[in-house]
Amino acid sequence: MSQKISPLAGKPAPTSILVDIARLLAAYADLTPDPKVPAQRVAFGTSGHRGSSLERSFNRAHILAITQAICEYRKGKGIDGPLFMGCDTHALSQPAFEDALEVLAANGVQTMISAAGQFTPTPAISHAILVHNRGRENGLADGIVITPSHNPPDNGGFKYNPPNGGPADTDITRWVEQRANALLEAGLSGVRRIPFAQARKAGTTREHDYLNTYVADLASVIDFDIIRGAGVHMGVDPLGGAGVHYWAPIAERYKLDLTVVSEAVDPQFAFMTVDWDGKIRMDPSSRYAMQRLIGLKDQYDVAFACDTDHDRHGVVTRSAGLMEPNHYLSVLIDYLFRHRPHWSKSAAVGKTVVSTALIDRVVRRLGRKLYEVPVGFKWFSEGLFDGSLGFGCEESAGASLLRHDGSVWTTDKDGLVPALLSAEITAREGKDPGQLHAELTAELGRPFADRVEAAATPAQKARLAKLSPDQLRIERLAGEKIEQVLSHAPGNDAAIGGIKVVAASGWFAARPSGTEAIYKIYAESFSNPEALRGILAEAQKIVDTAIAD
């Protein structure tokens, strides 16, 4: 039932598992996906279309079709401002960027690309869209981010951000997905395209200084004066990602004691330590992937890392080592809502249904409203945009928040800001976030949490996604009376795509994986580790019975 840890986990990546970049790039250009094969079609998950060229799930045909579909979507919606486009350091990102620009230029879309071909973090794209659109009703901008996030080096990813700056919602992605697949089925007939050299010189292709624009605006969301005044000694590991060249300018501009432990960029990511399952994954929340920075923890007051597109964060403290995302997010929420006086008194806290219930207790103590939604950051974009949400976060270390003045910062996840906030917290509180988490749990209760996986057929996964509360004939969980059985999120009544069962001191949620033949169970207990194990065991029995063939 639980994850089987690879013998390679936490160790330097051996050459035997490194991806062959030449083969990967050749497959991108040469292999043609078959739209009759479901795994080779365009499919937008919670963060765009992802796949590998070696499996015919992320190839040139996909990118040409998706980009043409986006051009047609924005034309149909009257979106006629600039499109901000950036990419990360994965090997497949650059050819996808070039192919996308060929289509955008052929369709006459004004496209803002990075100056001097710099890599562009996801939050810098969201920030650019929102800054352009501020106060406008016409000529609105949108964006494309080319990244598979923290996924392995053989993966590519492609996502669309509409004018609200956040990840596209389901209505948009469904339309783009259907149109792109129709173009694939038509052998790309209908795709407009010009050669890259011509597209690069086109009058519609403009350079934008993402780096300096984003870095110069960070003071509107971080209190650098207090960090500098306290002399906080910081370390950062960009994990070879898109923000690799952002950190030195941040340190220089704001005169910070910040050391970048590595500026290496390597499409094989050979410098990484291997993740839990034997794969290379740039996940700043994984202790296996974060071994380099964990080993340096005593050299800094606080240290942090971001994933490949810099939309997720990981915080390493002297007191606690690498903090679990739920632990740091709880501390961050408690801190921000006590130290952002200009935020609206009605601004709520957003979290996903599988985030820790410690957040619920923190929010209750703060006297704030909780906004609990399904998995996917897109559910927070509207609230962050209009200021009704002060903060939104996912259990997988993705978060964003408002500026000091209560206006929008980014509506997509921002890894750099929560990372830097760990230094602001340390400076103002005189304690690192690990120490503050210990104080928080001493007062509000200590949660024990785990996530496990179990095999499931496509039919079983479909049944789990549509499970209703009345199908679970249960009254108790780990000896406690069940208070709630949810198939829809309390915050916005959107379908969870699974089930959540809540008792007084514990809960579990089960949902099918979007990409693998498994389902995932998330569980938490405020009692003890034994109670957590009991909840996990009961949860699997409950779910297996409910989805049995």
Side-chain angles (χ1 to χ4, degrees):
M1 174 175 154
S2 59
Q3 296 174 335
K4 186 179 178 187
I5 305 300
S6 165
L8 294 176
K11 296 176 181 172
T15 54
S16 59
I17 70 166
L18 299 181
V19 66
D20 182 333
I21 300 297
R23 181 168 166 258
L24 186 73
L25 296 176
Y28 173 84
D30 300 340
L31 297 184
T32 303
D34 182 351
K36 297 191 199 66
V37 179
Q40 295 180 27
R41 290 172 68 81
V42 171
F44 276 78
T46 52
S47 277
H49 174 81
R50 293 182 184 177
S52 173
S53 62
L54 301 171
E55 296 167 3
R56 298 182 195 242
S57 53
F58 192 92
N59 303 80
R60 175 165 286 151
H62 294 110
I63 302 311
L64 298 175
I66 295 169
T67 309
Q68 181 64 40
I70 289 170
C71 291
E72 294 173 16
Y73 172 81
R74 70 195 306 272
K75 186 176 181 182
K77 293 294 180 182
I79 302 167
D80 56 2
L83 181 142
F84 291 90
M85 182 165 68
C87 64
D88 76 0
T89 56
H90 276 79
L92 291 174
S93 295
Q94 184 61 31
F97 168 86
E98 293 178 6
D99 288 333
L101 190 62
E102 291 179 357
V103 175
L104 291 164
N107 281 272
V109 175
Q110 184 183 331
T111 306
M112 311 298 279
I113 64 173
S114 66
Q118 287 171 332
F119 304 115
T120 310
T122 288
I125 296 287
S126 180
H127 175 267
I129 294 168
L130 293 165
V131 168
H132 175 87
N133 289 345
R134 190 183 296 145
R136 288 178 185 265
E137 292 183 9
N138 302 306
L140 295 177
D142 52 3
I144 288 172
V145 191
I146 304 172
T147 174
S149 188
H150 59 293
N151 280 23
D154 66 349
N155 276 222
F158 200 89
K159 69 175 185 173
Y160 174 64
N161 286 33
N164 74 358
D169 66 27
T170 314
D171 291 343
I172 299 173
T173 56
R174 191 182 298 119
W175 193 95
V176 171
E177 183 180 297
Q178 289 173 353
R179 177 59 181 145
N181 282 318
L183 288 165
L184 281 183
E185 288 161 5
L188 300 181
S189 175
V191 173
R192 300 178 67 184
R193 182 184 176 197
I194 60 175
F196 178 70
Q198 192 179 334
R200 185 65 186 78
K201 291 176 185 170
T204 51
T205 301
R206 313 266 177 88
E207 286 197 351
H208 179 74
D209 189 353
Y210 288 100
L211 190 156
N212 286 306
T213 305
Y214 176 89
V215 170
D217 211 9
L218 277 171
S220 69
V221 73
I222 306 278
D223 186 344
F224 287 111
D225 291 342
I226 199 162
I227 298 173
R228 186 170 54 251
V232 180
H233 183 39
M234 296 164 278
V236 60
D237 190 343
L239 299 179
V244 64
H245 298 131
Y246 277 55
W247 293 104
I250 290 170
E252 184 178 352
R253 183 180 188 93
Y254 298 107
K255 299 179 172 56
L256 304 178
D257 181 4
L258 173 64
T259 301
V260 183
V261 302
S262 171
E263 289 195 334
V265 174
D266 168 20
Q268 290 185 307
F269 294 89
F271 54 79
M272 289 295 298
T273 48
V274 179
D275 205 5
W276 67 272
D277 58 354
K279 294 183 178 180
I280 295 174
R281 195 177 282 110
M282 289 60 67
D283 181 357
S285 65
S286 165
R287 63 186 173 92
Y288 301 106
M290 285 277 282
Q291 283 296 301
R292 176 163 68 187
L293 200 58
I294 292 169
L296 299 172
K297 76 179 180 70
D298 294 329
Q299 294 184 24
Y300 304 103
D301 296 321
V302 66
F304 33 82
C306 290
D307 67 339
T308 326
D309 67 322
H310 271 50
D311 72 344
R312 298 187 193 205
H313 61 274
V315 172
V316 176
T317 64
R318 282 181 177 167
S319 64
L322 176 66
M323 294 185 70
E324 290 183 27
N326 276 320
H327 294 186
Y328 179 59
L329 291 169
S330 301
V331 170
L332 193 49
I333 290 164
D334 184 58
Y335 172 82
L336 284 168
F337 283 85
R338 289 187 292 107
H339 295 285
R340 293 297 184 267
H342 299 297
W343 288 7
S344 165
K345 295 290 182 248
S346 61
V349 178
K351 69 161 232 183
T352 56
V353 291
V354 294
S355 300
T356 178
L358 182 59
I359 291 174
D360 305 41
R361 298 183 180 195
V362 168
V363 171
R364 205 174 302 125
R365 189 177 73 172
L366 289 164
R368 292 281 176 167
K369 182 186 171 191
L370 185 71
Y371 180 68
E372 187 173 355
V373 298
V375 172
F377 205 79
K378 62 189 177 189
W379 302 110
F380 301 126
S381 296
E382 189 179 330
L384 289 166
F385 186 75
D386 65 19
S388 61
L389 277 183
F391 185 85
C393 66
E394 293 185 311
E395 78 297 334
S396 53
S400 193
L401 58 146
L402 300 178
R403 295 169 185 257
H404 288 298
D405 66 4
S407 64
V408 64
W409 168 249
T410 61
T411 49
D412 208 334
K413 293 176 287 193
D414 187 327
L416 295 95
V417 167
L420 288 163
L421 280 168
S422 68
E424 182 186 323
I425 291 168
T426 303
R428 181 168 271 120
E429 303 286 10
K431 299 168 186 172
D432 71 37
Q435 294 168 302
L436 293 169
H437 178 259
E439 291 180 3
L440 211 55
T441 54
E443 186 177 344
L444 299 178
R446 180 185 175 192
F448 300 90
D450 200 2
R451 189 185 97 179
V452 296
E453 299 169 352
T457 65
Q460 288 171 332
K461 284 169 61 178
R463 275 195 286 278
L464 175 53
K466 292 177 180 157
L467 211 54
S468 66
D470 56 14
Q471 288 174 265
L472 298 191
R473 296 179 182 84
I474 51 170
E475 294 180 357
R476 305 188 82 77
L477 180 65
E480 287 189 320
K481 185 176 183 296
I482 288 171
E483 296 178 350
Q484 288 179 300
V485 181
L486 304 168
S487 59
H488 287 69
N492 60 356
D493 201 37
I496 292 170
I499 206 87
K500 183 174 182 179
V501 177
V502 184
S505 59
W507 60 269
F508 80 82
R511 48 190 302 274
S513 166
T515 54
E516 300 171 85
I518 57 172
Y519 69 79
K520 298 175 183 180
I521 294 176
Y522 304 77
E524 186 172 67
S525 170
F526 278 82
S527 299
N528 51 57
E530 292 70 35
L532 172 64
R533 283 192 284 273
I535 290 174
L536 286 166
E538 284 184 37
Q540 188 166 24
K541 283 182 194 168
I542 291 165
V543 173
D544 285 346
T545 301
I547 66 172
D549 293 319

